[in-house]
Amino acid sequence: MNSITLNADLAAVSRLVVEGAMLVYTFAFLAFALHLSQLASTKKSVRAGASRLERVGIAMLILAATIHGVGMVLRGISASRVPWANMYEFSITGSFIVVFIFLLALTIKDIRLIATFVAGFNLLILGVADTVFYVEVKSLMPALQSYWLVIHVLVAVLATSFFNIAAALSIAYLFKTANWVKSSKAKLVGTLRRVLALFPKEEKLERMAYRFNIIGFILWTFTLIAGAIWAERAWHRYWGWDTKEVWTFIIWTIYAGYLHANATRGWGGKRSAWLGVIGFVAILFNFTIVNLFFKGLHVYSGLK
Amino acid sequence: MPSSQQSRFDPSEEIISPAIGLKGWLRWIWRQLTSMRTALILLLLLAAAAVPGSVFPQRSADPNGVTAYFKANPVLAPALDAIQLFDVYTSAWFSAIYILLFASLIGCVVPRTAAHARALRLPPVETPRNLKRMPAYLAVEWSGKKSPDALLGKAQKLLKKQGYRTLLAGDSATGSVSAERGYLRETGNLVFHLSLIGVLIAVGVGGGLSYSGQRVLVEGESFVNNLAGYDSFSPGTFFKEDQLVPYSVRLDKFEVDFYRDETLKNKANTGTPTDFRAFVSTTLGATGEQAKAKIRVNEPLAMPNGNIYLTGNGYAPSITIRDAAGQVVYSGSTPYLPQDANYTSLGVIKVTDVPKQYGIISFFYPTVGTLESGALTSLYPDPALPMLSMNVYEGDLGINGGEPKNVFALDIKNMKQVAGGKSGVKGLRLQLGETVKLPNDLGTVTFDGLKRFSSLDVSHNPGGIWVLIFALLALAGVTTSLLVPRRRVWVRRTETGFELAALARGDDPVLEKVVADLAAELAPNKKGSKKVAKTAASPKQKVADE
Ligand code: HEM
């Protein structure tokens, strides 16, 4: 019953395509960064030319996302399954979803200013994926052969993408409200201040972060429940405080705290923004350190 | 609303009051406990308290890890154990946090449920005097004409159609419409929090009634579902033996698929398992009804009062040992524990039916190969070139003391090695079908055949389904609560036109749009009306402010 076919050649092509996407992300990132610095310029003539750069950046980002998507699909075809069964694959799929949601959100909300962050973040993730997490295509171990892999992991990746964008907004908010940014006389901080002045107003950043976080939280709650249902099938108990289960719980609890903070007097603003950032740091920790170094049943990094 | 309770309550006042007494203090403590801030802090504490459980091995999830930790850190481990760091999720401090949190939750949600039930039956609150203070506000003036008398009626109808509950007050000249929608938001929030209590109870009660038993079966063997039938068994606190429905299970055959790549392009994947299948026959004790079934990972077999799960597998070489006189002293298929991905497996044989007991520590290699060091290893998990190696120990097996011994371990403390290692005699090596001589005239050993075994786990948790139901309710509740907007809208006639305002509970992205749209419907621009919008304050309102 060896029906699984793995296509190593196609996987190699997929890797090349993803590397190509990284190149285009680099251009997009540079365009956005340059755009921000031009906007923050004190010279009017420089500022006037900036919007063209931004358009170039957006076009580059769309191109990068398209190539990225092709690479991801090829990876799935080469393994004849969904492309999210090890860390390399989560990384390429997760970062694709981040940029996809970002581009989708752009059509509804003007959040162009965090494009620098999105392009830079994807570049970073893909870079780490390509150099540290890369594994050859592998067949699925029996515990992963389940439609829950499709549902549970996809929703987890989706939730992470929403939390990611929310964290970017919260970080912008925290910079904008930080006293040292407001008062420092250093030249570099002055430039930062001018860049930040371009961002939406503080309350608007806060509210947008909140909206991305609530979607993230609903999806994460679903992830947790779906994970428990799957664990009941595969490991004969729905919850066993396995390291990965522990961290899913911790992240859920932090974001529940975040939602409470938004409704508690004296906890809005900076404190809740910090909680959002801490929640996202916990997600990154869960994905990297816990996957690679902690012992548990969820050993699927695919790395030795 | 707990937070409004909190804001109504001024602790300094009570503390100064001489008559505070015990009751006052209890009330003060209760109010602190059920405040929003306490809930928040307890949530964050709970998150922090869960962390060490992922750093230190836990007895519940990884008992071997705990044993290993004690061996590696003999001084530190007992100290950590004293503060329950190996049992984090049942520890006193972790329990204290979640019990306080749930006490807070109950104290918070019960009064809110009552208040919400009342609010559901009441009409919306009357229009406040000063609408300009609201986060979304618009004043519309009629140029020339008087505003139509039917305005408020029309506003009421429009709002009703959009799902608002409305109240018309005052006369048509100065009156107003007050409307409210999104009661479902609070309902969802309450369903969510109440369901969390349901989850906790279902986890607790279900855990108490649950059990799980493990049994290793070699192909051809069967077991009966009673306490004696299990190798190990962990019952919940309220478990009773009659929960075990009598039936028997026989393992007919066990199959494994390993990935093979003829082109050898993908070496990394060669030998990874792609499927495990246990074929079993079951017989129900009550009716004698027989059935055949297949168990796979992710596909447990449903039996009365429990599922049978496939949790492990390996090889069980069939070995016969004869004494010097040719008499059979040991015969059977012994499960060997896999040690690596290529199923290099470790087994232990204890020969007791002889005058001088001895034991054998044995390795099995499904496809044997030799490392550069000369040591044997397995190159592939399927039995292409099976080989057994054996080291023999003479002496006290330690099995006469009556205490149960691990079948996979041999305690060689009081034993002398007579074959293999530094004993001077080479260890034994047998290919399938071979017979070789044991040292010291102990007789011969034969590698007769090869079977597979599988580890089965029979588990039952009657609380599981309730946990799922409450968890799904919580999911539905929280989704409703976060996505359904709750807002109040007011329309009031003024001397020269009318004014509209809206207030949201929680986040409401479209608050201003709601007001603008309503104004447009009530006074289409072509009538020449003039709108005066006030720059809206943040439409996001803190609960405590309401
Ligand atoms: C197990 C503990 C708790 C968890 C996991 C939890 C979780 C949450 C979550 C996720 C939300 C946002 C979604 C929603 O509005 O339905 C929320 C809202 C809320 N919670 Fe909790 N909660 C807990 C305990 C409490 C306690 C003890 C209180 C009372 C002090 C409380 C009062 C509230 C209130 C008033 C809201 C509404 C906030 C708003 O309108 O935005 N919760 N809770």
Side-chain angles (χ1 to χ4, degrees):
Chain A
M1 290 227 316
N2 250 325
S3 57
I4 305 129
T5 46
L6 300 177
N7 189 335
D9 296 331
L10 194 60
V13 173
S14 154
R15 188 179 187 182
L16 269 179
V17 173
V18 170
E19 283 163 353
M22 281 167 63
L23 189 70
V24 187
Y25 275 123
T26 313
F27 290 137
F29 176 71
L30 289 176
F32 287 129
L34 210 61
H35 164 243
L36 280 186
S37 73
Q38 285 195 351
L39 271 188
S41 162
T42 42
K43 288 204 205 76
K44 205 172 168 197
S45 58
V46 177
R47 285 206 300 273
S51 68
R52 208 173 50 226
L53 254 180
E54 183 174 45
R55 278 203 301 278
V56 171
I58 297 278
M60 284 288 171
L61 194 63
I62 292 174
L63 180 65
T66 312
I67 301 175
H68 185 171
V70 171
M72 176 187 85
V73 170
L74 287 183
R75 175 78 186 191
I77 296 174
S78 76
S80 27
R81 54 165 165 74
V82 292
W84 52 76
N86 53 50
M87 281 180 76
Y88 173 72
E89 295 172 1
F90 296 146
S91 305
I92 62 169
T93 304
S95 51
F96 174 76
I97 290 180
V98 169
V99 71
F100 184 76
I101 290 177
F102 175 75
L103 289 173
L104 212 63
L106 261 191
T107 64
I108 308 168
K109 272 247 132 59
D110 184 8
I111 49 173
R112 272 175 297 175
L113 281 157
I114 62 164
T116 328
F117 175 87
V118 172
F121 185 81
N122 271 15
L123 193 57
L124 183 76
I125 292 280
L126 289 183
V128 174
D130 192 58
T131 50
V132 184
F133 298 157
Y134 190 79
V135 286
E136 284 186 52
V137 266
K138 287 203 149 200
S139 50
L140 285 183
M141 57 197 240
L144 287 183
Q145 293 169 16
S146 163
Y147 54 90
W148 286 111
L149 174 71
V150 181
I151 305 169
H152 167 73
V153 182
L154 182 64
V155 177
V157 171
L158 266 174
T160 305
S161 310
F162 276 92
F163 285 143
N164 185 348
I165 294 175
L169 292 162
S170 290
I171 289 170
Y173 172 88
L174 284 171
F175 270 116
K176 225 174 152 138
T177 50
N179 286 331
W180 61 268
V181 175
K182 280 186 186 148
S183 60
S184 168
K185 293 207 169 55
K187 199 157 164 253
L188 210 64
V189 182
T191 313
L192 177 64
R193 200 155 46 218
R194 280 198 302 281
V195 171
L196 287 170
L198 306 166
F199 278 66
K201 280 211 301 270
E202 289 170 11
E203 306 89 69
K204 192 147 182 229
L205 281 174
E206 189 189 7
R207 242 181 301 144
M208 284 198 294
Y210 177 80
R211 278 173 208 156
F212 278 98
N213 273 332
I214 59 177
I215 305 292
F217 185 78
I218 292 169
L219 294 171
W220 194 258
T221 308
F222 180 85
T223 303
L224 199 131
I225 296 173
I229 298 174
W230 188 5
E232 197 274 334
R233 296 271 96 188
W235 300 325
H236 58 89
R237 84 287 182 292
Y238 59 85
W239 194 264
W241 296 107
D242 180 61
T243 39
K244 207 73 193 188
E245 292 168 347
V246 170
W247 278 90
T248 305
F249 171 80
I250 291 172
I251 290 161
W252 188 82
T253 313
I254 294 175
Y255 279 103
Y258 166 88
L259 293 177
H260 270 214
N262 270 278
T264 306
R265 207 190 331 206
W267 274 80
K270 286 192 198 182
R271 286 190 188 183
S272 71
W274 272 113
L275 281 179
V277 174
I278 291 171
F280 190 65
V281 170
I283 287 183
L284 290 181
F285 184 83
N286 188 25
F287 180 63
T288 54
I289 310 292
V290 175
N291 270 0
L292 293 174
F293 302 113
F294 284 32
K295 223 175 123 183
L297 289 168
H298 286 75
V299 275
Y300 43 44
S301 73
L303 300 166
K304 293 261 157 66
Chain B
M1 192 85 31
S3 28
S4 53
Q5 267 175 18
Q6 187 189 338
S7 50
R8 247 188 281 122
F9 174 71
D10 182 0
S12 56
E13 208 175 286
E14 292 245 358
I15 289 165
I16 298 164
S17 146
I20 169 166
L22 184 63
K23 232 165 108 187
W25 273 106
L26 286 177
R27 209 163 68 204
W28 184 79
I29 290 171
W30 181 244
R31 281 188 178 165
Q32 290 303 310
L33 181 67
T34 55
S35 83
M36 216 40 196
R37 188 182 304 115
T38 308
L40 169 56
I41 287 168
L42 286 173
L43 270 172
L44 298 180
L45 264 180
L46 190 68
V51 174
S54 71
V55 178
F56 301 103
Q58 297 297 296
R59 284 208 174 85
S60 56
D62 180 18
N64 298 334
V66 177
T67 316
Y69 197 95
F70 266 82
K71 252 191 205 134
N73 308 283
V75 184
L76 186 61
L80 298 180
D81 201 19
I83 49 172
Q84 299 175 295
L85 281 173
F86 301 113
D87 305 285
V88 166
Y89 306 105
T90 48
S91 68
W93 41 276
F94 191 80
S95 310
I97 297 172
Y98 78 75
I99 289 169
L100 275 178
L101 181 57
F102 274 86
S104 169
L105 181 60
I106 292 167
C108 156
V109 169
V110 170
R112 273 175 59 201
T113 310
H116 186 55
R118 249 175 284 130
L120 278 177
R121 271 177 278 123
L122 290 177
V125 287
E126 277 183 39
T127 313
R129 198 159 306 146
N130 186 358
L131 286 182
K132 287 199 181 77
R133 279 178 44 225
M134 294 303 158
Y137 174 83
L138 209 59
V140 179
E141 297 188 16
W142 301 87
S143 40
K145 261 192 288 171
K146 234 183 89 201
S147 68
D149 287 343
L151 180 97
L152 289 182
K154 192 174 168 197
Q156 190 179 24
K157 227 165 88 192
L158 276 173
L159 286 165
K160 261 206 179 123
K161 227 165 74 192
Q162 292 170 33
Y164 286 81
R165 229 176 253 208
T166 58
L167 175 73
L168 185 70
D171 57 56
S172 61
T174 56
S176 67
V177 174
S178 151
E180 179 159 2
R181 59 147 291 155
Y183 293 79
L184 209 54
R185 185 187 184 93
E186 179 74 356
T187 310
N189 180 295
L190 293 171
V191 167
F192 169 74
H193 285 90
L194 290 168
S195 301
L196 291 184
I197 303 174
V199 168
L200 187 74
I201 292 172
V203 167
V205 175
L209 290 170
S210 72
Y211 66 83
S212 91
Q214 294 72 38
R215 175 64 196 252
V216 168
L217 280 187
V218 177
E219 286 170 322
E221 284 182 354
S222 42
F223 87 99
V224 178
N225 184 32
N226 56 36
L227 281 183
Y230 289 103
D231 297 330
S232 61
F233 194 83
S234 27
T237 328
F238 317 125
F239 169 80
K240 291 214 184 63
E241 203 177 339
D242 60 17
Q243 278 176 260
L244 296 177
V245 175
Y247 58 76
S248 71
V249 178
R250 188 185 120 100
L251 179 67
D252 299 327
K253 197 157 174 262
F254 186 79
E255 291 181 352
V256 197
D257 292 336
F258 295 107
Y259 183 83
R260 280 184 107 118
D261 189 349
E262 312 304 339
T263 64
L264 285 182
K265 251 191 207 129
N266 194 336
K267 282 206 189 111
N269 199 51
T270 300
T272 359
T274 56
D275 195 24
F276 300 119
R277 294 177 296 276
F279 296 90
V280 296
S281 308
T282 58
T283 309
L284 288 182
T287 58
E289 192 184 319
Q290 295 194 338
K292 293 212 178 282
K294 182 165 77 176
I295 308 177
R296 297 174 66 211
V297 181
N298 276 316
E299 287 171 24
L301 171 65
M303 292 299 286
N305 258 3
N307 288 344
I308 307 183
Y309 299 82
L310 180 60
T311 58
N313 69 89
Y315 288 102
S318 309
I319 292 160
T320 306
I321 300 178
R322 293 183 177 79
D323 64 14
Q327 203 72 26
V328 173
V329 292
Y330 179 94
S331 169
S333 303
T334 310
Y336 277 44
L337 266 193
Q339 308 289 305
D340 62 22
N342 281 330
Y343 280 72
T344 300
S345 310
L346 172 67
V348 161
I349 295 165
K350 294 169 186 172
V351 184
T352 50
D353 280 351
V354 283
K356 236 167 110 190
Q357 297 185 340
Y358 60 95
I360 298 173
I361 295 183
S362 167
F363 279 96
F364 172 69
Y365 311 93
T367 301
V368 72
T370 315
L371 294 174
E372 259 171 53
S373 64
L376 295 182
T377 184
S378 175
L379 302 172
Y380 191 73
D382 260 338
L385 191 60
M387 158 86 85
L388 275 176
S389 75
M390 295 183 172
N391 287 347
V392 185
Y393 298 80
E394 274 188 324
D396 182 12
L397 284 170
I399 52 176
N400 298 337
E403 52 182 307
K405 287 283 170 184
N406 185 346
V407 289
F408 291 115
L410 187 65
D411 185 2
I412 52 172
K413 210 166 51 221
N414 301 320
M415 305 192 81
K416 184 172 150 254
Q417 188 162 11
V418 292
K422 297 195 186 91
S423 65
V425 181
K426 268 182 106 176
L428 316 181
R429 289 183 179 182
L430 300 88
Q431 289 190 332
L432 191 58
E434 264 188 329
T435 300
V436 300
K437 271 183 106 165
L438 287 162
N440 287 5
D441 250 355
L442 289 170
T444 62
V445 51
T446 310
F447 181 9
D448 297 311
L450 189 59
K451 289 183 176 175
R452 293 189 196 257
F453 75 85
S454 62
S455 319
L456 298 178
D457 187 297
V458 181
S459 287
H460 183 48
N461 186 340
I465 184 70
W466 290 102
V467 176
L468 181 62
I469 290 170
F470 284 120
L472 290 177
L473 269 176
L475 176 63
V478 79
T479 308
T480 312
S481 164
L482 289 173
L483 299 183
V484 171
R486 177 163 195 185
R487 67 176 88 91
R488 291 177 181 158
V489 175
W490 297 280
V491 181
R492 172 188 281 139
R493 286 180 75 114
T494 55
E495 306 261 305
T496 51
F498 64 98
E499 54 179 0
L500 309 98
L503 171 72
R505 157 81 185 283
D507 178 65
D508 191 344
V510 295
L511 196 66
E512 281 151 58
K513 194 169 169 296
V514 165
V515 171
D517 287 353
L518 186 62
E521 293 222 42
L522 289 176
N525 270 342
K526 57 179 188 283
K527 281 192 183 166
S529 62
K530 190 175 105 205
K531 286 176 205 143
V532 187
K534 183 190 70 134
T535 20
S538 165
K540 195 159 138 240
Q541 282 278 317
K542 303 287 176 233
V543 173
D545 294 346
E546 240 187 84

